[in-house]
Amino acid sequence: MQVRHFDRLLPVFACFALSPLSLLPLELSANDVIEEIVVTADYRGRRLADLPSSASILDQQFIREAAVQHFEELIYAVPNMNWSGDGHRARYLQIRGIGELEQYEGAPNPSVGLLIDDIDFSGIGTIATLFDVRSIEILRGGQGSRYGANALAGIVYVQSEQPGPEWDGLARVTAGADDALGVGLALGGPLSDTWGARISAQTYRSNGFRNNRFLGRDDTHNRDETTARVKFTWDPESDCAFEFASIYADVDDGYDAFAIDNSLATLSDKPGRDAQRSAGFSARASWEGSAYYELVSISSVADSDIRFSFDADWGNDQEWAPFTYDFISENERERQTASQEIRLLSRPDGRLFDTADWLLGIYYSRMRDGLHTRNQGSYYDPIWDFALELDDRYSGDYEANTWALYSQLDMEVGTQGRVSAGWRLERRDSDYADSRGLVLNPGETMAGGELSYHRTIDDSVSAYVNLSRSFKAGGFNLGVVPEGRRNFDREYLWNLEAGIKAEWFEDTLRFNGAVFYSRREDQQVRTSYQLVPNDPASFVFFTANAARGATRGAEAEITWLASERLSLFANLGLLDAEFKEFVTPTGDLSGRDQAHAPNYSLAAGATYRHGNGLFARIDAIARDAFYFDVSHQQRSSAYRLVNVRLGYEAVDWSLEFWVRNLFDENYAVRGFYFGNEPPDFPNELYTRQGDPRQAGITFEKRF
């Protein structure tokens, strides 16, 4: 595997290695160790060291210190993870080069799952705000046996804070440049001997780092994000335990992201919105009344209203004069989901042959998704006396019912080895009808599974090898599509992975590394082309099956508690994700890298805490260039970001000063290549820029 632009990593390594923090004397207390990590997204809640797959676990302290508001800020710290800036927030995720870049029409069919307190928000991650979040777990690689068709590339599992045994709470105020202001309050504790509760609410607003020169406004790309969470625990004096979680999120962000000159100064006269209002509820119950097995039930429901609109010409009458060129695009989506899962897990007395733990489960989900779109506009060329009027409206309703059976067997091999085998059989039946008379009723059965061997080498080191097969459902394309492209087949992913997990020097140095090779069969790829050269809303997006794709790479995470004052970390991802055989209407892409799949991703950082309460943190991030899409050959540039945080921490309060993108790096998170400038409409690369430098302060009171 060839890693390009390695020289661009050197300044980041230098910044990390030569930081004044790294030159401080190392003094280690015998009581200072890295806390044990438990992966709750796994069936049994295993330790990270015992999990036979690659995973990143972001704990509460890391989340609070490495980000300000949203999960998209943490993606840069996760090896081989990326996001598509098609939308205001990180709604579309990619893991190891696999994941969607956008969705305007068609049935929801995500490759990366997103669960928030067991509530499924896959493909609509706009609401992934971070206040009062306890942990975020990212499981890389196909999760076909655990989570089914929505986890071809992996899963993101978010958990909010739990009620504690004593009453506690926090109040947080954040203020910063770009008129940023956030206020949050959380409170939780025991209601009785058996009941616990926690409630939190937070709102955050900022202008969104854009200046609309035509309207004379700096808030057309604004952020207005409110999240409320309620969680109850009930532990009656019996063999049962219950956990109830609910979330209400109202994200009403502006969408004015693209400028003709690829700057942060826009010219649109009709800025859009990227808004999502979601309410969800989950209930988890467990029963341990038998010495042979445990029964677990997980239920969830969610209701989301989503609006995505934009000024499709990115301009105004003055900018395009003497031509009339004015287009808008609006998408409104209503999504309801409900799911029920029941697991039967063996307990010590119920093990098979006294050496094997077993699990059986059944899963059912129902999704309803309604979409209404309007593409409207006009174009007039006075030179050629050519006129075009567009008023295209569309409505579609989609419903899917999914049933799944799954099981897993974990068997001890000798005193230090364990073999795990799991499988999942999933059936999905769908109904679709739209205003254009298209009626479809696809149904399919998919199967996946995994086989792994985990070995404990000694008290500090373990290793594993894992072979898995995951899947993603097939589907259909809407509207005008190329001949023979109405339907596309399901996709399968074979993944072979090996890794080492170690904790050395009395648990002060942790290493988590993996190498992998994946093969995609009937790979689904979403591409596009423009039907009418002078109509920017006439893009046709459709999904097709590439014949074959392959991905290989490596991931490593190192955490070192160097002293009682200094801790360091470094996360590295190497990736070579390419099409093996794929011919599109625009050319042969065989051998080319897949979209949004940088060859390297690096995050490194250091935190220093003085005994008097002062602390400092630096995070350095580097990303290789990547292709923006499969419909063209345009690429981003490699980039580096540096974030810093300084502050004072007392027993029950803290005050922090932070700067994100310290050196004001210019970098792109999405790109399109098409004609958007009259009268000739030459193809040009248009990019959406990431956030520029922002400084702010955060005050937090704990009680």
Side-chain angles (χ1 to χ4, degrees):
M1 179 175 58
Q2 197 173 33
V3 179
R4 296 186 287 271
H5 306 301
F6 183 79
D7 59 306
R8 296 179 180 268
L9 288 172
L10 296 180
V12 179
F13 282 119
C15 179
F16 174 64
L18 299 181
S19 165
L21 301 179
S22 65
L23 304 179
L24 294 169
L26 304 184
E27 301 174 0
L28 188 63
S29 166
N31 296 324
D32 289 325
V33 297
I34 301 174
E35 292 185 5
E36 183 177 82
I37 297 176
V38 176
V39 183
T40 56
D42 185 69
Y43 287 137
R44 294 182 180 272
R46 285 184 281 194
R47 296 188 312 142
L48 178 62
D50 296 331
L51 188 71
S53 63
S54 180
S56 294
I57 314 299
L58 310 180
D59 62 20
Q60 189 175 54
Q61 181 172 324
F62 186 93
I63 294 169
R64 186 177 66 84
E65 295 181 352
V68 175
Q69 170 64 10
H70 198 275
F71 174 60
E72 71 181 36
E73 302 166 55
L74 298 171
I75 291 173
Y76 300 102
V78 181
N80 287 333
M81 189 172 189
N82 205 3
W83 65 286
S84 162
D86 199 292
H88 190 116
R89 286 300 197 182
R91 184 187 310 166
Y92 308 107
L93 309 175
Q94 300 88 45
I95 296 178
R96 293 179 176 176
I98 303 174
E100 283 62 54
L101 305 180
E102 76 283 301
Q103 185 200 348
Y104 295 107
E105 295 183 356
N109 198 20
S111 298
V112 178
L114 173 64
L115 298 178
I116 302 177
D117 285 333
D118 290 321
I119 307 168
D120 191 354
F121 291 107
S122 301
I124 49 176
T126 304
I127 63 168
T129 57
L130 298 176
F131 181 73
D132 210 37
V133 166
R134 182 183 187 183
S135 67
I136 301 177
E137 304 174 9
I138 299 98
L139 275 60
R140 288 181 290 269
Q143 306 295 316
S145 62
R146 289 180 180 85
Y147 293 102
N150 285 353
L152 179 75
I155 193 82
V156 178
Y157 189 79
V158 181
Q159 281 197 102
S160 63
E161 185 57 271
Q162 293 277 101
E166 298 181 359
W167 281 97
D168 66 350
L170 67 90
R172 183 184 300 166
V173 178
T174 295
D178 194 47
D179 287 343
L181 179 63
V183 179
L185 180 65
L187 181 66
L191 298 176
S192 68
D193 292 340
T194 59
W195 281 91
R198 188 172 183 89
I199 183 171
S200 68
Q202 189 241 11
T203 184
Y204 179 87
R205 291 176 173 83
S206 74
N207 287 342
F209 306 107
R210 298 296 190 278
N211 288 309
N212 189 304
R213 291 183 294 175
F214 176 72
L215 297 177
R217 293 169 52 189
D218 63 359
D219 62 350
T220 54
H221 194 65
N222 69 300
R223 290 170 178 167
D224 185 352
E225 303 170 348
T226 300
T227 307
R229 310 177 197 267
V230 179
K231 183 172 281 190
F232 290 98
T233 57
W234 181 31
D235 192 7
E237 297 178 357
S238 65
D239 299 313
C240 298
F242 301 86
E243 181 178 301
F244 308 97
S246 61
I247 181 174
Y248 173 80
D250 186 0
V251 175
D252 190 12
D253 293 343
Y255 189 63
D256 194 16
F258 286 88
I260 294 295
D261 60 358
N262 294 331
S263 70
L264 298 176
T266 62
L267 296 169
S268 56
D269 57 354
K270 298 179 179 66
R273 308 299 300 170
D274 185 9
Q276 179 177 336
R277 182 178 298 169
S278 295
F281 173 82
S282 68
R284 178 185 284 254
S286 62
W287 179 76
E288 297 181 350
S290 170
Y292 299 97
Y293 61 85
E294 175 187 359
L295 187 64
V296 176
S297 170
I298 304 173
S299 311
S300 73
V301 293
D303 191 320
S304 297
D305 292 323
I306 304 164
R307 179 171 182 175
F308 181 64
S309 63
F310 56 92
D311 188 326
D313 61 272
W314 303 346
N316 55 78
D317 292 343
Q318 295 178 13
E319 180 71 18
W320 303 128
F323 304 93
T324 299
Y325 182 41
D326 188 18
F327 289 83
I328 61 169
S329 180
E330 296 179 346
N331 299 266
E332 296 183 3
R333 186 181 297 274
E334 302 92 30
R335 181 178 299 180
Q336 296 87 37
T337 60
S339 66
Q340 176 63 56
E341 183 172 2
I342 297 176
R343 299 174 184 170
L344 199 63
L345 303 91
S346 64
R347 301 190 70 194
D349 289 352
R351 305 181 80 192
L352 299 178
F353 317 112
D354 294 327
T355 61
D357 291 305
W358 52 267
L359 174 148
L360 294 172
I362 185 171
Y363 171 84
Y364 169 76
S365 71
R366 182 179 184 181
M367 171 188 286
R368 290 180 174 177
D369 189 276
L371 176 64
H372 310 278
T373 70
R374 179 171 70 101
N375 295 309
Q376 191 174 47
S378 60
Y379 177 76
Y380 177 67
D381 184 338
I383 299 175
W384 297 99
D385 192 25
F386 172 78
L388 173 69
E389 295 290 333
L390 175 70
D391 189 1
D392 182 40
R393 300 168 188 262
Y394 156 86
S395 296
D397 291 296
Y398 173 80
E399 181 177 325
N401 291 275
T402 301
W403 287 92
L405 293 172
Y406 60 85
S407 70
Q408 182 171 296
L409 186 68
D410 298 319
M411 179 176 294
E412 293 179 1
V413 179
T415 59
Q416 295 178 301
R418 187 178 69 252
V419 172
S420 297
W423 61 269
R424 186 183 186 100
L425 185 66
E426 187 164 303
R427 174 69 187 181
R428 176 178 295 184
D429 293 295
S430 305
D431 294 294
Y432 174 81
D434 65 26
S435 56
R436 296 170 182 167
L438 183 63
V439 177
L440 297 168
N441 307 100
E444 57 189 330
T445 301
M446 299 159 283
E450 64 176 318
L451 179 65
S452 67
Y453 175 68
H454 179 276
R455 183 172 181 82
T456 302
I457 298 173
D458 56 37
D459 292 340
S460 302
V461 182
S462 62
Y464 70 88
V465 61
N466 183 311
L467 175 65
S468 66
R469 186 200 198 208
S470 53
F471 51 85
K472 182 181 179 183
F476 48 87
N477 296 301
L478 306 179
V480 179
V481 295
E483 185 176 355
R485 301 290 191 179
R486 176 65 67 194
N487 300 304
F488 54 90
D489 296 330
R490 60 178 174 257
E491 174 182 350
Y492 283 108
L493 174 72
W494 286 92
N495 183 65
L496 179 63
E497 181 177 309
I500 295 176
K501 300 178 182 182
E503 296 177 355
W504 292 303
F505 305 113
E506 298 179 348
D507 296 339
T508 61
L509 177 63
R510 175 177 290 148
F511 174 80
N512 180 11
V515 295
F516 61 89
Y517 175 81
S518 301
R519 177 172 174 173
R520 302 176 68 177
E521 297 180 352
D522 293 324
Q523 178 179 344
Q524 296 176 13
V525 182
R526 190 163 178 83
T527 187
S528 65
Y529 65 88
Q530 191 174 7
L531 292 175
V532 182
N534 56 358
D535 175 8
S538 68
F539 265 95
V540 172
F541 292 89
F542 66 94
T543 299
N545 291 99
R548 192 161 54 92
T551 303
R552 58 185 182 270
E555 292 143 359
E557 298 179 321
I558 302 173
T559 304
W560 182 27
L561 188 60
S563 75
E564 62 180 0
R565 297 180 177 180
L566 178 65
S567 61
L568 306 97
F569 81 92
N571 298 337
L572 175 65
L574 302 176
L575 185 65
D576 183 11
E578 65 178 27
F579 299 108
K580 287 298 185 182
E581 300 174 13
F582 186 39
V583 179
T584 75
T586 58
D588 188 352
L589 299 186
S590 302
R592 204 206 79 170
D593 281 354
Q594 299 175 27
H596 279 257
N599 288 139
Y600 66 77
S601 56
L602 170 70
T607 303
Y608 176 75
R609 299 181 187 278
H610 195 276
N612 62 9
L614 294 174
F615 72 91
R617 179 186 177 99
I618 182 171
D619 292 86
I621 298 159
R623 286 287 168 103
D624 192 19
F626 55 84
Y627 286 97
F628 285 119
D629 218 318
V630 299
S631 58
H632 55 77
Q633 300 294 324
Q634 303 299 312
R635 291 162 54 91
S636 71
S637 297
Y639 61 87
R640 300 169 299 277
L641 305 175
V642 176
N643 305 321
V644 296
R645 188 175 290 251
L646 306 170
Y648 177 82
E649 239 178 0
V651 174
D652 58 357
W653 64 272
S654 63
L655 180 64
E656 306 172 2
F657 170 74
W658 47 265
V659 183
R660 299 192 61 80
N661 193 0
L662 177 65
F663 300 111
D664 204 21
E665 178 87 355
N666 184 22
Y667 63 103
V669 295
R670 189 72 173 110
F672 293 101
Y673 184 68
F674 71 111
N676 195 42
E677 299 177 54
D680 298 325
F681 292 91
N683 286 338
E684 300 284 351
L685 174 63
Y686 300 104
T687 60
R688 180 210 159 165
Q689 301 303 308
D691 289 350
R693 178 170 53 225
Q694 184 189 26
I697 59 173
T698 297
F699 174 78
E700 184 174 291
K701 172 68 175 177
R702 296 173 291 277
F703 50 89

